[in-house]
Amino acid sequence: MSHPLKVIIAGAGIGGLTAAVVLRHIGCQVEVYEQAPTLRTAGSGLSVMSNAVAALSSIGVDLNLEHFGAPVKCVEIRNIEDQLIRELPIPEVSSSNGFDSVCISRKALQEALLEQLDKNIIHVGTKVTQITESGEGVSVHFADGRETQGDLLIGADGFYSFVRDYVRGNQPIREADYICWLAIIRYQHPQITPGYVAHYWGEGKRVGIIDIGGGEIYWWGTANMLTEQANHWQGSNRDILSYYEGWPDIVSDIISQTPSENIISVAAQDRPFSSLWGKGRVTLLGDAAHPMLTTLGQGAGMAIEDAAVLGHMLKQQTDPVAALRQYEEIRIPRAEMFVDISYTQSELEQLSTPTSCQEREDALRFEPTEKLRESFENLLKFPVNELDVVSA
Ligand SMILES: Cc1cc2nc3c(=O)[nH]c(=O)nc-3n(C[C@H](O)[C@H](O)[C@H](O)COP(=O)(O)OP(=O)(O)OC[C@H]3O[C@@H](n4cnc5c(N)ncnc54)[C@H](O)[C@@H]3O)c2cc1C
């Protein structure tokens, strides 16, 4: 192809922006279209695990995330009597990959991505409403009547993706019947050392407390609740506190210090995995392709891996449509593994009877160290050796 490949990206979430960074980096012409009137800066925190940082590095992109968030130094699973069940080997496994896992606010991650982009390529207030393909290209139409053409379309338009519906039709939602509350506050406590992460496991409830650097922490809580109720949650911090009565003081302190209006609530949900990610000049990336429950903290990480692999395939392959199919072939098994583990781990972590919770605690406490380490290596190692498919 004599002209630079023109790639249209639907959605300017973490997935869409990362794809834009990677594809610009390899020399594509990129346009990003976001339905919202402004880029979303609200939101809480997330973890960008070592595998996602490694994926970006493999294609030559470094977001310097350690300057925007907190490299993870200690991950503890505790029970509600505040006893340590197990320290997880996430920092060691990450270091052995050569890349720290980083906890960060969504806003800071977005800033890190925007620093690498020319803002003129991002168009807000542009909702994709129609897609038309021809032999020569793909046309995308927006709700306001505008239209653009490109060589490829990447659907990075999230959980309720329009592009996914175009590719594979409407797909069911899988409700997990629990609620997640999330917030960021400025908070100091001797327990929260730099890079500290604690997950408290209770009966049908969990709380996470995470250092994200700069004197801020990100916390989340879950509680079993019918989706219908979770979708209409209107409660205050006091209402949330009532779910964690008798839990360690640090939990109640953090929740009571968070203004109710700063707490986001979402019903936990994903979709059964589908291996149909694209057709013709169109493919999917991030939550549009593989929405997953939040248990592994890898939803954004998988979107970042997607973007890196897509970049590798477009760089290696002269036929861009063939590159999309290769990208899908490489990504589908690993994405499916993450969706499945997130789902089963979520069921385990939301167990609610005293006996099952005790069994869960014992299983983690006595799991052989080598086995525990292996399961994290499986998740945190980005499989860079699978990328060289064209020359193989
Ligand atoms: C409670 C919770 C905690 C989480 N914690 C973590 C964590 O710790 N670590 C982690 O890695 N992940 C975490 N995740 C998952 C992570 O947030 C998502 O996987 C990730 O943000 C997905 O990014 P995305 O860009 O694919 O989708 P989104 O962030 O949803 O972005 C999609 C974008 O597309 C836009 N859009 C939608 N439709 C259209 C259209 N028709 N036209 C144009 N634009 C459109 C949307 O407005 C949106 O801006 C968490 C998620 C939740 C809910």
Side-chain angles (χ1 to χ4, degrees):
M1 195 171 284
S2 52
H3 65 278
L5 197 67
K6 181 174 168 192
V7 183
I8 301 165
I9 299 175
I14 301 304
L17 291 179
T18 311
V21 169
V22 168
L23 299 184
R24 285 292 306 126
H25 181 74
I26 63 162
C28 297
Q29 187 192 340
V30 175
E31 290 175 0
V32 183
Y33 292 92
E34 166 57 46
Q35 66 174 2
T38 53
L39 290 187
R40 181 170 74 125
T41 51
S44 55
L46 37 73
S47 49
V48 179
M49 304 304 274
S50 173
N51 49 295
V53 187
L56 286 179
S57 172
S58 73
I59 194 132
V61 172
D62 181 359
L63 298 177
N64 292 312
L65 291 183
E66 58 285 1
H67 300 301
F68 290 86
V72 176
K73 299 292 175 209
C74 171
V75 183
E76 294 181 340
I77 307 293
R78 306 186 77 86
N79 63 22
I80 65 164
E81 284 80 40
D82 218 355
Q83 295 156 336
L84 177 68
I85 303 173
R86 192 80 185 249
E87 196 172 329
L88 302 183
I90 291 175
E92 302 89 275
V93 174
S94 302
S95 299
S96 72
N97 288 344
F99 303 96
D100 284 327
S101 295
V102 178
C103 292
I104 187 169
S105 72
R106 210 170 267 275
K107 186 165 177 268
L109 177 55
Q110 189 190 73
E111 276 166 17
L113 289 162
L114 289 175
E115 263 192 13
Q116 314 252 339
L117 285 174
D118 171 0
K119 314 288 174 301
N120 294 331
I121 69 167
I122 303 170
H123 306 270
V124 291
T126 48
K127 179 176 181 168
V128 177
T129 53
Q130 198 188 326
I131 300 162
T132 323
E133 283 185 79
S134 70
E136 285 74 50
V138 54
S139 295
V140 176
H141 303 252
F142 303 102
D144 62 4
R146 279 185 285 169
E147 176 183 347
T148 191
Q149 279 88 31
D151 297 304
L152 300 175
L153 168 64
I154 313 301
D157 50 344
F159 192 89
Y160 297 99
S161 170
F162 175 85
V163 183
R164 180 189 52 233
D165 288 357
Y166 167 80
V167 168
R168 61 166 103 125
N170 201 356
Q171 289 239 292
I173 292 178
R174 192 161 53 171
E175 311 290 4
D177 284 337
Y178 64 91
I179 190 168
C180 307
W181 295 290
L182 313 101
I184 288 178
I185 55 164
R186 299 200 74 76
Y187 188 77
Q188 287 192 331
H189 189 284
Q191 188 177 332
I192 305 175
T193 49
Y196 180 76
V197 178
H199 292 186
Y200 287 88
W201 281 359
E203 293 171 5
K205 298 165 200 172
R206 289 177 281 150
V207 167
I209 298 172
I210 298 125
D211 174 44
I212 53 169
E216 289 186 318
I217 61 143
Y218 154 48
W219 69 262
W220 52 261
T222 69
N224 287 348
M225 186 183 287
L226 289 177
T227 300
E228 175 63 12
Q229 192 190 344
N231 278 333
H232 296 101
W233 172 267
Q234 297 271 328
S236 65
N237 59 356
R238 297 206 150 274
D239 298 311
I240 297 172
L241 264 178
S242 69
Y243 282 83
Y244 303 105
E245 265 170 31
W247 284 47
D249 289 345
I250 190 169
V251 170
S252 30
D253 195 33
I254 285 170
I255 297 173
S256 53
Q257 285 200 31
T258 309
S260 301
E261 62 276 17
N262 294 354
I263 304 175
I264 298 167
S265 67
V266 286
Q269 57 183 16
D270 69 354
R271 292 178 194 269
F273 189 80
S274 165
S275 300
L276 183 56
W277 286 24
K279 60 177 181 184
R281 295 175 175 273
V282 181
T283 195
L284 302 174
L285 178 151
D287 277 8
H290 47 66
M292 61 188 72
L293 292 172
T294 60
T295 340
L296 295 177
Q298 285 270 16
M302 285 296 102
I304 294 171
E305 282 195 8
D306 290 344
V309 174
L310 181 62
H312 278 285
M313 292 308 110
L314 287 171
K315 213 169 130 183
Q316 287 181 35
Q317 179 50 278
T318 45
D319 173 359
V321 174
L324 296 190
R325 301 295 88 81
Q326 274 171 344
Y327 149 75
E328 292 157 9
E329 199 177 308
I330 291 176
R331 289 301 297 154
I332 282 168
R334 187 159 158 85
E336 182 166 21
M337 176 178 86
F338 276 74
V339 170
D340 289 350
I341 299 178
S342 297
Y343 187 82
T344 47
Q345 187 66 20
S346 159
E347 289 200 313
L348 183 79
E349 293 191 15
Q350 291 299 129
L351 285 172
S352 59
T353 64
T355 319
S356 59
C357 290
Q358 188 59 51
E359 282 169 9
R360 172 186 69 189
E361 193 172 317
D362 291 344
L364 179 59
R365 183 170 278 127
F366 300 114
E367 183 162 2
T369 304
E370 208 36 52
K371 199 160 162 252
L372 190 65
R373 194 186 160 93
E374 263 171 33
S375 23
F376 280 101
E377 279 172 350
N378 196 23
L379 301 172
L380 297 179
K381 280 217 187 309
F382 173 65
V384 73
N385 55 331
E386 290 172 15
L387 293 175
D388 203 10
V389 289
V390 176
S391 55

